[in-house]
């Protein structure tokens, strides 16, 4: 049986942050180059290609999101036969879905120019970019069940190492392509396809190594297993649909209503919160195995402590980049994409960053819904929020002159309402706890942003920040000071003792006391 381990959580987190850093570095340096070579319009289609490919997850997540959970639960019981049944059922179902999805994907590639506003010079490039992104999605879908091995065995550090290797390969390929050939946007999605192929091969290898007892046997397919997975995960599909209505459709709506130029500008703005959301996803997933293991073992008190600790960690870490970009966003955009209007990008990005303060902290609570298999209510609520958001955006685009400001303004309002008013209360209900259980921890975590903004504003009034070197120095100085302050705000004494003990400090400074 896999055991919960704070040490393994730390290892998983460090490995995944490094993996994210590698991926972030590649995208970070690639984006301004693509914009400089091809323009913001072209960059917008890169984002669109991945967004449209991601729409397929609305269907596939119905059972793929639950395969890992059910296999882990059977692993905890030592039931190899049931593990194999879930694994192979998902493998067969994913393959069938990939064949079905190939049809709309192919039609989208062929008729891209009829569906979207694409400049004539980019039509073929956009079609190829879409084709590579869609093919990568289908390959990843067919072999999705192999990726559960890291989650089931609580070895997300191995998954992170694999991701680092894949991104290094992609980085080298991109350098070769952009140095020796004329710049094309389909280089980005084409190299992504290569990484997907590498990752899938690695998943197959590690599945054989870490879970040799689970054999690939298509004849183990079970309709009852699929029914159980879909029954449990159908609400995750609704969640994905809702998330698309809230976040993924924005660049597409910009293209349809305002044209390629505005969608390209907004795609640049979205890059920053997307990076932060990716970091949040990387950090959150390292807590998931422990949360599930503790729930499976019936350790309710330890489970609550783990969830609260996860919320505090998310507030401690994720609000640092959010607060920094709120203050130094103009300097960041000026250095990162110097050919664009830095003030406009900064103003738009502020509207996307405000909801992230809360979502980065409370999103970890969605794991409680999955762990307790209580997904129907949050899925329906999020769907309602998504529909309201979409209708409000469409009305404002049609009847107001807000233009490019429409999507971030509406999104900020609807997301803040959802993340603050619903998620904490329902997570408490899933664990049979008082409705306000998580609010104190959430408010303390949100206070970490206030600390970072205050330190950054003080720094900015004393030192003029323009260019990469001053910006990096400002980030390092402000982050170190804020992390030190927030260490006493967010963690109680026992948690500080645990953290300091891991880095060799025996004397624990006094600060906030919390049960």
């Amino acid at each position: 049986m896999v055991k919960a381990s704070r040490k393994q959580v730390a290892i998983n987190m460090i490995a995944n942050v490094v993996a994210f850093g590698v991926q972030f570095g590649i995208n970070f340096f690639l984006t301004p180059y693509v914009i400089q070579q091809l323009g913001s319009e072209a960059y917008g289609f890169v984002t669109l290609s991945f967004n449209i490919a991601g729409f397929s997850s609305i269907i596939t997540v119905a059972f793929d999101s639950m395969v890992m959970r059910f296999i882990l639960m059977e692993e905890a019981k030592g039931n190899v036969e049931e593990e194999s049944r879930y694994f192979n059922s998902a493998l067969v179902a994913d393959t069938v879905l990939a064949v079905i999805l190939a049809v709309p994907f192919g039609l989208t590639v062929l008729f891209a120019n009829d569906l979207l506003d694409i400049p004539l010079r980019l039509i073929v490039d956009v079609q190829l970019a879409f084709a590579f992104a869609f093919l990568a999605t289908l390959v990843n879908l067919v072999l999705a069940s192999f990726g559960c091995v890291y989650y089931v065995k609580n070895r997300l550090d191995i998954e992170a190492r694999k991701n680092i290797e894949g991104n290094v390969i992609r980085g080298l390929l991109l350098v070769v392509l952009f140095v020796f050939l004329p710049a094309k946007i389909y280089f980005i999605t084409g190299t992504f396809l290569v990484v997907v192929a590498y990752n899938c091969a690695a998943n197959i290898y590690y599945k054989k190594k870490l879970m040799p007892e689970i054999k690939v046997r298509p004849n183990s397919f079970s309709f009852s297993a699929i029914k159980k997975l879909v029954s449990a995960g159908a609400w995750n599909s609704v969640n994905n649909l809702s998330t698309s209505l809230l976040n993924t459709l924005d660049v597409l709506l910009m293209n349809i209503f305002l044209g390629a130029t505005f969608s390209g500008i907004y795609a640049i703005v979205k890059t920053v919160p997307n990076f932060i959301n990716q970091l949040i996803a990387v950090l959150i997933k390292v807590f998931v195995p422990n949360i599930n293991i503790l729930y499976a073992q019936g350790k309710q008190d330890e489970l609550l402590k783990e969830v609260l600790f996860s919320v505090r960690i998310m507030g401690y870490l994720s609000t640092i980049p959010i607060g920094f970009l709120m203050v130094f966003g103009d300097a960041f955009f000026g250095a990162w994409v110097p050919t664009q209007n830095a003030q406009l990008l900064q103003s738009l990005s502020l509207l996307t960053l405000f909801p992230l303060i809360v979502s980065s902290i409370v999103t970890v609570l969605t794991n409680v819904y999955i762990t307790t298999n209580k997904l129907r209510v949050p899925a329906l609520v999020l769907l309602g929020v998504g529909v309201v958001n979409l209708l409000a955006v469409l009305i404002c685009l049609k009847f107001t002159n807000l233009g490019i400001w429409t999507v971030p303004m509406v999104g900020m309002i609807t997301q803040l309402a959802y993340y603050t008013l619903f998620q904490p209360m329902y997570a408490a209900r899933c664990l049979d706890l008082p409705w306000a259980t998580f609010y104190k921890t959430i408010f303390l975590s949100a206070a970490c942003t206030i600390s970072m903004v205050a330190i950054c504003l003080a720094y900015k009034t004393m030192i003029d920040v323009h260019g990469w070197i001053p910006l990096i120095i400002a980030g390092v100085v402000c982050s170190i000071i804020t992390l030190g302050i927030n260490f006493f705000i967010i963690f109680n004494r026992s948690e500080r003792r645990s953290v300091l003990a891991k880095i060799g400090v025996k004397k624990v400074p006094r600060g906030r006391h919390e049960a």
Side-chain angles (χ1 to χ4, degrees):
M1 181 183 294
V2 180
K3 294 183 179 180
S5 167
R6 281 283 176 87
K7 180 180 179 181
Q8 188 61 48
V9 168
I11 293 171
N12 290 343
M13 177 172 288
I14 293 170
N16 277 276
V17 168
V18 172
F20 169 79
V22 174
Q23 181 181 356
F24 171 83
I26 292 172
N27 293 330
F28 183 81
F29 290 109
L30 179 65
T31 299
Y33 179 81
V34 172
I35 293 171
Q36 184 180 19
Q37 294 293 314
L38 300 172
S40 60
E41 292 176 334
Y43 179 74
F45 290 108
V46 174
T47 302
L48 267 178
S49 65
F50 287 121
N51 284 355
I52 294 173
F55 291 154
S56 64
S57 65
I58 294 172
I59 300 172
T60 61
V61 77
F63 51 88
D64 280 338
S65 61
M66 302 304 292
V67 169
M68 293 185 291
R69 177 189 182 275
F70 277 91
I71 292 179
L72 185 144
M73 294 300 178
E74 299 303 331
E75 168 86 4
K77 300 173 186 175
N79 195 338
V80 176
E81 184 177 345
E82 283 298 295
E83 288 182 70
S84 179
R85 190 167 70 97
Y86 284 120
F87 173 85
N88 284 288
S89 297
L91 178 61
V92 173
D94 279 332
T95 302
V96 172
L97 274 176
V99 173
I100 295 172
L101 287 171
V103 176
F105 280 169
L107 292 174
T108 302
V109 172
L110 290 175
F111 298 102
N113 191 41
D114 298 314
L115 300 171
L116 302 168
D117 176 33
I118 306 176
L120 289 176
R121 64 185 176 86
L122 292 175
I123 291 176
V124 175
D125 288 6
V126 169
Q127 287 178 312
L128 287 172
F130 281 13
F132 287 134
F134 296 163
L135 185 56
T137 299
L138 295 177
V139 171
N140 199 46
L141 173 58
V142 170
L143 300 171
S145 56
F146 288 88
C148 73
V149 58
Y150 314 107
Y151 176 91
V152 173
K153 296 298 182 180
N154 199 11
R155 291 304 306 273
L156 299 179
D157 55 316
I158 296 178
E159 183 183 31
R161 186 177 66 195
K162 173 207 68 176
N163 291 338
I164 292 171
E165 294 165 352
N167 281 304
V168 169
I169 293 171
R170 186 187 185 201
L172 294 174
L173 284 174
L174 285 169
V175 169
V176 171
L177 290 171
F178 279 112
V179 168
F180 294 103
L181 295 173
K184 300 291 183 181
I185 59 173
Y186 57 78
F187 289 169
I188 301 173
T189 55
T191 53
F192 178 71
L193 173 59
V194 173
V195 172
V196 166
Y198 175 82
N199 285 343
C200 288
N203 291 347
I204 293 172
Y205 168 78
Y206 284 113
K207 202 285 298 180
K208 290 181 179 179
K209 184 177 180 180
L210 298 178
M211 294 175 62
E213 69 278 8
I214 307 299
K215 307 295 183 183
V216 177
R217 294 193 182 110
N219 59 354
S220 295
F221 175 83
S222 167
F223 279 108
S224 62
I226 290 297
K227 182 179 179 181
K228 192 171 182 179
L229 289 171
V230 171
S231 176
W235 297 111
N236 282 331
S237 283
V238 178
N239 279 333
N240 264 34
L241 172 60
S242 307
T243 301
S244 295
L245 295 176
L246 279 170
N247 296 316
T248 310
L249 283 176
D250 46 14
V251 178
L252 179 61
L253 291 173
M254 288 282 189
N255 182 280
I256 294 172
F257 282 89
L258 302 176
T261 299
F262 283 106
S263 67
I265 293 172
Y266 194 65
I268 298 172
V269 173
K270 286 284 290 185
T271 302
V272 174
N274 284 345
F275 280 153
I276 296 176
N277 275 324
Q278 290 168 17
L279 175 61
I280 292 168
V282 166
L283 294 175
I284 285 176
K285 74 177 182 179
V286 304
F287 298 106
V288 177
N290 267 12
I291 290 174
N292 277 283
I293 291 167
L294 291 171
Y295 181 78
Q297 295 173 345
K299 299 179 179 179
Q300 294 299 318
D301 291 340
E302 292 183 35
L303 173 61
L304 177 58
K305 289 180 181 178
E306 184 70 18
V307 173
L308 290 172
F309 179 73
S310 302
V311 171
R312 283 195 283 268
I313 283 289
M314 293 307 301
Y316 185 65
L317 297 177
S318 64
T319 54
I320 294 296
I322 295 172
F324 180 78
L325 288 169
M326 283 183 160
V327 178
F328 290 106
D330 53 349
F332 168 77
F333 284 115
W336 186 45
V337 283
T339 59
Q340 304 297 307
N341 185 334
Q343 291 298 327
L344 173 63
L345 296 176
Q346 159 70 347
S347 299
L348 288 168
S349 70
L350 277 174
L351 297 177
T352 66
L353 290 172
F354 277 117
L356 278 178
I357 297 174
V358 183
S359 67
S360 64
I361 296 167
V362 305
T363 300
V364 69
L365 297 179
T366 59
N367 294 311
V368 173
Y369 313 154
I370 298 172
T371 299
T372 58
N373 199 16
K374 296 179 180 179
L375 301 168
R376 181 172 63 91
V377 172
L380 290 175
V381 171
L382 185 57
L383 179 60
V385 173
V387 170
V388 169
N389 181 81
L390 177 61
L391 291 175
V393 167
L394 291 175
I395 291 170
C396 290
L397 285 172
K398 185 72 175 178
F399 298 106
T400 73
N401 296 319
L402 288 173
I404 197 172
W405 299 93
T406 302
V407 173
M409 286 181 65
V410 173
M412 179 183 69
I413 295 170
T414 54
Q415 291 181 54
L416 280 174
Y418 171 71
Y419 288 120
T420 56
L421 300 178
F422 174 77
Q423 280 201 335
M425 287 190 284
Y426 192 74
R429 181 177 178 181
C430 289
L431 297 175
D432 296 321
L433 298 168
W435 66 270
T437 297
F438 296 109
Y439 276 104
K440 179 180 179 181
T441 303
I442 290 170
F443 289 145
L444 284 171
S445 300
C448 292
T449 308
I450 299 175
S451 303
M452 185 63 177
V453 169
I455 296 298
C456 289
L457 285 173
Y459 187 98
K460 195 173 186 179
T461 58
M462 295 184 290
I463 301 175
D464 186 34
V465 178
H466 286 93
W468 282 119
I469 300 302
L471 194 63
I472 293 171
I473 293 173
V476 171
V477 172
C478 293
S479 296
I480 291 174
I481 294 174
T482 305
L483 287 172
I485 294 172
N486 288 344
F487 186 67
F488 292 92
I489 294 176
I490 200 69
F491 297 119
N492 59 42
R493 184 169 175 79
S494 64
E495 289 167 339
R496 291 197 299 272
R497 184 186 299 113
S498 176
V499 172
L500 292 175
K502 285 181 171 58
I503 60 176
V505 179
K506 294 183 178 180
K507 187 176 180 180
V508 182
R510 291 188 173 273
R512 183 179 66 86
H513 291 264
E514 182 181 289

